[in-house]
Amino acid sequence: MRRRLFSVLAAVAVACASVGVAAGGGSAQASASGAGAGAGTVAGGAGPAAAAAEAYEWKNVRIDGGGFVPGIVFNQTEKNLIYARTDIGGAYRWEQSSKSWTPLLDWVGWDKWGYNGVVSLATDPVETNRVYVAAGMYTNSWDPNNGAILRSADKGATWQATPLPFKLGGNMPGRGMGERLAVDPNRNSVVYLGAPDGNGLWRSTDKGVTWAKVTSFPNPGNYAQDPSDSSGYLSHRPGVVWVTFDPTSATAGNTTQKIYVGVADKENTVYSSSNGGTTWSRVAGQPTGYIAHKGVLDHVNHTLYIATSDTGGPYDGAKGDVWKLDTTTGAWTRISPVPSTSADDYFGYSGLTIDRQNPGTIMVATQISWWPDVIFFRSTDSGATWTRIWDFTSYPNRSFRYTMDISSSPWLTFGTNPQPPEVTPKLGWMTESMEIDPFDGNRMMYGTGATVYGTEDLKQWDTGGRLTIRPMVKGLEETAVLDLISPPSGAPLVSGLGDLGGFRHTDLGAVPPMLFTSPVFTSTTSLDYAETNPSVMVRAGNFTDADRPNDSHAAFSTDGGATWFQGTEPGGINEGGTIAAAADGSRFVWAPKGVGVHHSVGYGNTWTASTGLPTGAVVESDRVNPNRFYGFSGGRFYASTNGGASFTATAATGLPAEGNVKFKAVPGREGDIWLTGPANSAGAASGIWRSTNGGASFTKLSGVTDAVNIGFGKSASAGGYQALYTVATIGGVTGVFRSDDTGASWVRINDDEHQYGNAGEALTGDPRVYGRVYLGTNGRGILYADNGGTVPPPDTVPPTRPGTPAASAITSSGATLTWTASTDAAGVSGYDVYREAGATDVKVGSPTSASFALTGLTPDTSYTFYVIARDGAGNSSTASVPVTFRTLTGPVGGGCTATYRVANSWPTGFQGEVTVRNAGTSAITGWTVRWSFPNGQTISQLWSGTHTQSGADVTVRNVNWNGALAAGTSTVFGFNSSWNGTNGVPATVTCTAS
């Protein structure tokens, strides 16, 4: 699942730098320590305060699961003490009272984000409050940091860390094998770690504070999935993958003498020591040709069981066996439910577990049987005979020893309706960890690629009944979040996710019933909605093209994401890229990955290549003007004023030239754009920039660096400027911040206990709830936080006085006014333009920018106009100095025509398009189009114009930006309309110019 060496010192103990971190204590800080030195404790903040802090309550938007859980670990001496580890989402502890999981690593910050990759976990059987985590996400260049051993003496409430001189790979190949961390059950100060990539076996004798390489251990492991992979990912060597103690070989307080170790080496996969780890030898007579994913010791019957596969997994594995070793005699016996020599063995084995109450009862899972499903095998006679959790009867039918109850997570069907022998929901996949509760043989839990399943009536298997399997995953949130939108109406949140596609979240505290279907995307890479018509949404995403060659990577919704449909797509698209919806939903601009930018009027029935914007650009829409779209690529900002048909690079300079640059336009404010640039290896510019002129120029905010993302939410005051939210470094502190004054000041709204590591790829405020923010993480799901509605003091300072308007483009019926913009601490929300008319002046318009087109004026007439600025708090400026001018004499001297066509049609509805053309010889300043529907059609939505409909009669007038047409030029407006039975074209469509 998903994404995103140092020469090891030998012989003597290596004194690793130690880091003390109290959960809630801030960023990890290192302190050098000599050989045998202990770890220092660090508490409190991570440096000088960046800004004021505000208390926020952080919660997960419930999805329940969503990612691979490669390890579930039961403490062997304390009942109900259970831990789970994930590959990119940290570690969790089970809460028996609520039957839910509590996250333990939310304190991990951006500087050590790789600590959320947990390659192993060990719970101390002597001092059961102690727990250890082997942390590190990647062993190649993707993770800049080395791995670390995290240790806690209070079941994960607080932690200390010891960095290692090599990397660990919680999200690398082979991550389901293990556990490679183990605590000596007799002398719990001794802890072992199996290391990857040639680093061998390591040991601590002081409860994980310092570590030394066990130089006598002979084999670091040579297996790699693809040794030639230049990225370092598939060439990763899992190395030493599990450690198992025989507790009967010593007494309490003394070092356990008999230890077994598993190695990712197909010819030498099991080693042992009989003298407490002083010397080691390859276990004689062991099977070859496969890797032991698991090694579990039945110390009552002196039997070591191993489950083997021909690969490291977790996605693959075509052959394998299950073996047992009589540790007394040294005899090996193959006990595979389906031996590797059989043609019926198309899988390896993993998920090995023992019922500690009845140690002759063992279970094992396939590694991996994608089709028709995972298979669990159970033996009550130490592997002499086995039964399967399902069997074929008469193909393709199967019989089942279980029933699935997914009522708590109904989306686990993935919206599929497979044909036998497949069923939905699947029993599982990637089941590397399957564990029977050591205190209760009826309870079993296992991990899959999407959830944790379990049962509390496992012994039904042995008596001919059916056990019930349910999700046991509440509180464990592991989705990787790629995009989030919070529209002003409808569901409060819609998510775009890796691996699951995404959800419409109508209740943040409830698991949504189904992910996006029709179509299903493996990952949704981009989401958008029409700002002024938010029921219209669009998403772009990825899937395996070979499986669905005729599907589109873009989907549309007209009901706020409840249902979706597809259009067509340009050729050559394999990945979704970014996609943007016009403010009114009339058109869309799409920048698929690796393919040129395209635009579509309507819902993707046809796409036309856009010009001027490079392939690979990021696209967004203006949130007011439906003809305005924006793009960014390689440090250049681009703008389109014709609906995405063409883009032009603006003159803006000083923007970040590399890195994951994000930008968004502000709702309700045409041309108002915020852009963020993160830290990057080249040291290029990072921070936050703002433009108020459609990207023509940008101003960089001071005091902000390494900005990951920015989002907007409801203003602190009625009608005020939106609250800003960012993930950035401000005043030297990295965190989540809010600003209520357009970035002039910031308040930190997360704390050191809630950092979430690699977060911020998706970020948005809520337009309906002041103070609420939604934060996407890479492996900890979607977080949201509230401040309880606390608002700052009211804004009572008005904007500055606008400049004196200037009149230009004067005709017999119109003119254009422009003026110097006002300024305001919280931002100018708009202007009111007034015409002097004696005792009561007339307001003629309310533009959001410092210009306004006047229409409908009388020829040869003197007019006087002035302007007043408004801010979001409702404060009004002093009126500007007025401007007086006289319109020209005589008629406009132009005429217009209108051409009607049906652009797209579907059952009960269609999209119409009307082209208005100035057919005269001189410019016109406005137009009116009229027609009568012949078959009772009714317009539901119209863009690029204003309309009225009375019965069959329709009248459409221009809006302020498309009324002025030079001779021979044209503009287009469109609409959605219903029809029933017949959809006839109007007999006559007239156009009148003004």
Side-chain angles (χ1 to χ4, degrees), residues 5-6 112 115 135-136 138 143-148 163-168:
L5 299 173
F6 155 123
K112 295 290 191 298
Y115 285 7
Y138 297 103
D143 188 338
N145 297 310
N146 283 345
L164 296 167
F166 49 82
K167 294 187 177 186
L168 295 176

Side-chain angles (χ1 to χ4, degrees), residues 194-211:
D197 290 318
N199 290 297
L201 182 66
W202 287 64
R203 178 172 54 210
S204 171
T205 58
D206 55 8
K207 299 180 180 178
V209 177
T210 59
W211 291 79

